[in-house]
Amino acid sequence: MSLDDQIKQLSQLILKNKNAIVFTGAGISTESGIPDYRSPGSGAWEKYDSSIVSIPGFLRDPSQYYEYALEMYPIRAGAKPNVAHLFLAKLEKVGLIEGVITQNVDGLHLMAGNTNVHELHGSIRQASCLQCGQIYMMDDIISRVREGENPPICKYFQGEECNGLIKPTAVFFGEGLPTVPWASSVDKSKETSLMIVIGSSLQVSPANSLPDVALNTGSDLAIIDLLDTPFDSRASVKIEDRAVLVCERLGHLLGL
Ligand SMILES: [Zn+2]
C-alpha cells in the first residue's frame, strides 16, 4: 500500500472512531530538537555520569544532578512543539481524539494545547518535594539553584517547614511510574476503539503493554514509526515515516 493510501486509511479510522487515544514516544519530539537523554553516549554523558539521573545517584548527591540540570534544563525547556504536537492539539479541540498518553517528559503536548495528557514518565517542567509531594515549577527551582540554593529544599509550611528534597517529576532510572497517569492510561486504553501510536517503537516496559490492553478490548491499532515494532502485525495500519510529515498530511486530509 502506498504512503498516500496508508495516510488516507488512517484519516478514515480517525473520522470513524472519534475517540482515539494517541500514544507518543521520543520520535514525535526529535524534530523539536529534544536530545535523547536516556541513551548514554549522547553528549551529556561524556561530561556527567548517567547515574545522576538514577534514584540512588540523586539521593547520594542531588547537587551534582542540579549542576547538570543548570546546563541541560534551559536547552530542553526551550524546545517548542512541532507540527505533529500542534496537529494533536487540533484533533483534541475538534473532538476527534480523546487525549494523549506520552512516554516523553518534555511537556510539549501540554504546551501545544492538548488538555487531556497523561505523562507516564512525569515532566521535566515540574518538580515535587520527595517528603510532602508539594508541586513546584522547574523554572522556579532552576532559578533558585542558579542563585546558589543547591540542592533546593522544600519551603512548604504545614505547621513546620518541610525541608524535603525537591526532585523533577520526570521518572529517574530505578524509579517506578507515577501511579495516577498510569492507572488513567490503562482505563483510556480499555475504553478507546482506536489507539494511534506515534514515534514509539514500543520497546519500553510497562508502557508498551498499553497497545495490548487496547487490542484485547477490541480496539484498532495504528502505528506511525520509522522502526519495526513488536505490534506491527496486529496493527490495522503501519506507517513508516516521520511523525511530522505524516501529521502534516493527515491535517490536510482532515481539513485541520
Ligand atoms: Zn515538602
Side-chain angles (χ1 to χ4, degrees):
M1 201 188 279
S2 73
L3 180 62
D4 276 342
D5 288 341
Q6 290 176 323
I7 294 177
K8 203 171 188 181
Q9 192 189 349
L10 178 51
S11 75
Q12 284 160 356
L13 278 174
I14 293 171
L15 288 171
K16 186 182 111 192
N17 288 282
K18 293 193 174 68
N19 74 341
I21 278 290
V22 179
F23 179 64
T24 67
I28 197 170
S29 292
T30 44
E31 289 178 66
S32 289
I34 299 281
D36 184 3
Y37 84 116
R38 285 186 159 257
S39 47
S42 67
W45 304 130
E46 280 148 30
K47 191 163 168 191
Y48 298 95
D49 188 319
S50 63
S51 73
I52 60 175
V53 290
S54 72
I55 276 294
F58 179 75
L59 294 177
R60 194 165 53 239
D61 188 357
S63 62
Q64 208 192 7
Y65 166 77
Y66 278 105
E67 262 168 48
Y68 154 81
L70 271 186
E71 189 174 329
M72 294 305 291
Y73 176 76
I75 301 171
R76 294 178 200 295
K80 297 277 183 294
N82 64 44
V83 169
H85 298 105
L86 296 170
F87 169 67
L88 296 182
K90 285 184 204 158
L91 279 183
E92 187 187 310
K93 203 170 169 199
V94 299
L96 284 176
I97 63 168
E98 176 75 25
V100 178
I101 301 169
T102 187
Q103 294 170 286
N104 300 338
V105 295
D106 53 41
L108 292 179
H109 289 300
L110 287 168
M111 201 187 267
N114 278 99
T115 54
N116 195 3
V117 180
H118 309 277
E119 294 178 313
L120 289 181
H121 296 148
S123 171
I124 57 155
R125 297 178 195 271
Q126 280 193 343
S128 68
C129 169
L130 292 181
Q131 201 73 44
C132 73
Q134 175 70 16
I135 296 284
Y136 293 90
M137 295 313 292
M138 195 62 175
D139 278 347
D140 299 335
I141 295 303
I142 290 295
S143 300
R144 282 165 55 178
V145 175
R146 193 169 288 124
E147 283 157 21
E149 186 190 338
N150 190 9
I153 297 298
C154 181
K155 302 264 180 8
Y156 189 58
F157 195 82
Q158 232 181 354
E160 53 187 312
E161 220 166 71
C162 170
N163 289 325
L165 184 59
I166 296 171
K167 176 193 163 291
T169 62
V171 173
F172 280 20
F173 294 116
E175 195 176 18
L177 295 188
T179 52
V180 172
W182 174 250
S184 49
S185 296
V186 171
D187 287 345
K188 293 292 173 194
S189 303
K190 281 181 188 161
E191 288 160 18
T192 193
S193 55
L194 172 63
M195 177 174 278
I196 305 169
V197 175
I198 305 180
S200 171
S201 49
L202 301 173
Q203 307 286 350
V204 179
S205 172
N208 61 5
S209 61
L210 294 174
D212 236 346
V213 170
L215 285 166
N216 290 340
T217 46
S219 166
D220 275 315
L221 179 67
I223 303 173
I224 303 168
D225 195 76
L226 289 163
L227 303 175
D228 287 343
T229 87
F231 288 88
D232 288 358
S233 63
R234 298 164 76 190
S236 307
V237 55
K238 166 75 191 294
I239 304 179
E240 292 188 356
D241 217 315
R242 291 155 50 222
V244 162
L245 177 134
V246 175
C247 288
E248 193 165 27
R249 292 173 68 169
L250 272 173
H252 286 308
L253 273 182
L254 295 167
L256 296 175

